[in-house]
Amino acid sequence: MSDINWNDYSLETQAIRAGHKRTHEDEHSMPIFTTSSYVFKSAEEASLRFTGQKPGNIYSRFTNPTVNAFQERLALMEKGERCLAFASGMAAIMAVGMGLLKTGDHIVCSRSVFGNTVIMFQNYFSKFGIETDFVDLIDAAAWEAAIKPNTRFLFLETPSNPLTEIADISLLADIAHAHDCLLIVDNCFCTPVLQRPFELGADIVIHSATKYIDGQGRCVGGAVIASDEIIEKFIYPYLRTGGATMSPFNAWVFLSGLETLAVRMKAHCDNAFELALWLEQQPSVAKVHYPGLPSHAQHELAKRQQSHFGGIVSFELVGGKEQAWKVIDATQMISITANLGDVKTTITHPATTTHGRLTPEARAIAGIKDGLVRISVGLESITDIKNDLLKGLSS
Ligand SMILES: *Cc1c(COP(=O)(O)O)cnc(C)c1O
């Protein structure tokens, strides 16, 4: 098994088999290595491992076999060179900033990224003299205009949350590279099953493994995938020192999550597509946001860039906030929670939860209307999902 070159295999196979190096116990399934440290055969071997002259485990803050297996598997699936796992998606984003940036640097970031990413750049990196400009995700000219001589990277998520707007990754990679910047893509919504940013020119891919990679809402974790050079020079030294490490148990859960990711993503997409079509026909629904619908402004781009359209659907109710809350409160099965990427369908009202801290003006710029509802479509029967929503939609 150890001499297989997993690069020759397809994603579905890598997801199930890559990364596990069978031990002398001949186990079939990946074990959890719950050990903080490792022993060396001699003082000399300890010294060689610490200086990196000899490969091998040292200490589980930065070397653990279960975590390594997860890293190898995800790197292969993303078609990236190397992956490092972190304690959470936010810890992964923090690591990219800590590794790559210094005082006086500048970031250009999509306005519609995960709320804590905005807070990280705006409230924390700014304390160390790093400035961020936020731009409209789909306005390529605005991205280019925001770049300055000290810009280090462009940062985005596509599709965006909750409006599912799609950025042209190839175009933005070209713009970034023309100005000597890196393009960083948070690929949490699509996962490598639906979209592979490296094939489109991105330099760094971020994951919150908490979402679809786990897929069943159990563990928090994250990852950074990049070239050997970027990882070795900028990210690994920070992980080793900063210590926001993924636990072996969580890595083990995420490894089994990856094994079913391809079939789950397909099923999420199929359910979401059917729900989006159905919602478009409901008289109380003013607009449905889903990249799979021909009515979606970047439908053609989504078809080119993604292999399927994703599991997130949002829609605007004619009756505004009052009706949005009514639809949410009328559900009996669907979970009212802001988490996403779970086999369980979840529903949330962005204007008063995930985007509730924004001013009304900022919410208007972001296009988050009071009547907007976001659904992370799970894997229950689509008939039951529709029936649960119909209670509030038809009242
Ligand atoms: C949840 C999320 C994050 C943060 O990940 P955590 O694992 O919760 O720290 C980052 N980006 C996106 C797109 C997310 O949905």
Side-chain angles (χ1 to χ4, degrees):
M1 194 165 97
S2 53
D3 47 16
I4 287 180
N5 179 1
W6 292 111
N7 284 302
D8 299 338
Y9 288 76
S10 53
L11 176 140
E12 289 81 357
T13 308
Q14 292 166 343
I16 289 168
R17 292 191 172 270
H20 175 199
K21 292 179 186 59
R22 201 164 285 157
T23 73
H24 61 278
E25 300 289 357
D26 300 324
E27 75 283 352
H28 191 204
S29 171
M30 182 70 210
I32 311 177
F33 285 87
T34 53
T35 177
S36 50
S37 68
Y38 304 84
V39 290
F40 313 108
K41 287 184 187 62
S42 65
E44 189 194 8
E45 185 177 314
S47 152
L48 291 173
R49 282 209 209 161
F50 266 84
T51 57
Q53 288 164 276
K54 206 173 162 194
N57 298 312
I58 301 172
Y59 185 65
S60 281
R61 188 182 335 105
F62 49 98
T63 50
N64 177 277
T66 314
V67 177
N68 284 346
F70 170 74
Q71 293 176 161
E72 270 189 53
R73 191 174 288 183
L74 186 56
L76 280 158
M77 291 171 72
E78 279 289 0
K79 291 198 184 294
E81 289 180 7
R82 210 166 135 199
C83 169
L84 284 183
F86 286 88
S88 67
M90 289 318 302
I93 295 169
M94 173 81 170
V96 164
M98 292 298 276
L100 289 173
L101 301 172
K102 61 178 187 316
T103 300
D105 282 346
H106 177 250
I107 304 168
V108 184
C109 183
S110 158
R111 198 172 280 132
S112 42
V113 291
F114 188 62
N116 286 104
T117 306
V118 174
I119 293 170
M120 167 108 58
F121 293 171
Q122 200 164 263
N123 298 8
Y124 291 94
F125 287 5
S126 63
K127 293 206 298 183
F128 303 97
I130 293 154
E131 201 198 344
T132 305
D133 278 312
F134 293 93
V135 296
D136 188 340
L137 176 68
I138 58 172
D139 184 350
W143 282 93
E144 183 147 36
I147 296 174
K148 302 178 184 184
N150 57 341
T151 305
R152 286 285 282 149
F153 60 70
L154 316 186
F155 190 104
L156 63 88
E157 288 164 23
T158 177
S160 70
N161 180 21
L163 295 179
T164 73
E165 288 184 314
I166 311 276
D168 188 333
I169 297 176
S170 302
L171 179 63
L172 291 173
D174 287 346
I175 290 173
H177 299 154
H179 295 273
D180 262 336
C181 303
L182 301 175
L183 178 68
I184 304 182
V185 176
D186 180 334
N187 203 26
C188 169
F189 272 43
C190 274
T191 82
V193 174
L194 305 186
Q195 168 173 283
R196 292 204 273 212
F198 289 124
E199 294 181 333
L200 302 164
D203 302 286
I204 299 179
V205 169
I206 303 277
H207 273 288
S208 166
T210 316
K211 314 293 166 54
Y212 287 106
I213 291 179
D214 177 325
Q216 297 179 56
R218 298 161 295 191
C219 291
V220 175
V224 176
I225 305 118
S227 65
D228 270 327
E229 192 194 350
I230 289 176
I231 295 286
E232 193 60 36
K233 260 199 198 151
F234 302 106
I235 314 296
Y236 175 75
Y238 172 74
L239 171 66
R240 189 166 172 161
T241 303
T245 308
M246 177 180 285
S247 82
F249 176 79
N250 288 7
W252 179 80
V253 171
F254 294 138
L255 275 163
S256 50
L258 287 176
E259 289 172 12
T260 57
L261 186 63
V263 283
R264 279 189 289 110
M265 288 313 290
K266 185 178 182 313
H268 279 295
C269 292
D270 289 347
N271 264 1
F273 193 34
E274 188 170 336
L275 186 69
L277 289 172
W278 178 80
L279 283 168
E280 257 193 339
Q281 289 159 4
Q282 305 306 309
S284 53
V285 173
K287 182 162 177 57
V288 181
H289 301 272
Y290 186 66
L293 297 174
S295 60
H296 188 284
Q298 295 94 37
H299 176 59
E300 290 304 319
L301 173 59
K303 276 208 287 202
R304 262 201 328 272
Q305 185 165 279
Q306 302 177 199
S307 64
H308 213 320
F309 301 111
I312 308 293
V313 177
S314 64
F315 58 99
E316 282 156 24
L317 288 148
V318 175
K321 178 190 153 186
E322 198 187 331
Q323 200 190 2
W325 278 27
K326 209 155 136 193
V327 168
I328 292 169
D329 289 341
T331 60
Q332 290 180 307
M333 173 191 76
I334 297 174
S335 317
I336 306 174
T337 169
N339 196 28
L340 60 94
D342 198 299
V343 292
K344 298 187 178 92
T345 299
T346 66
I347 191 165
T348 189
H349 183 241
T352 52
T353 59
T354 51
H355 294 69
R357 282 178 291 182
L358 298 182
T359 61
E361 297 75 44
R363 257 201 310 280
I365 293 173
I368 313 292
K369 301 211 172 123
D370 286 348
L372 188 75
V373 170
R374 187 200 74 192
I375 299 200
S376 169
V377 185
L379 304 188
E380 305 95 336
S381 140
I382 187 65
T383 308
D384 292 334
I385 297 171
K386 286 179 193 167
N387 285 340
D388 213 30
L389 289 169
L390 196 56
K391 297 177 192 123
L393 285 174
S394 57
S395 68

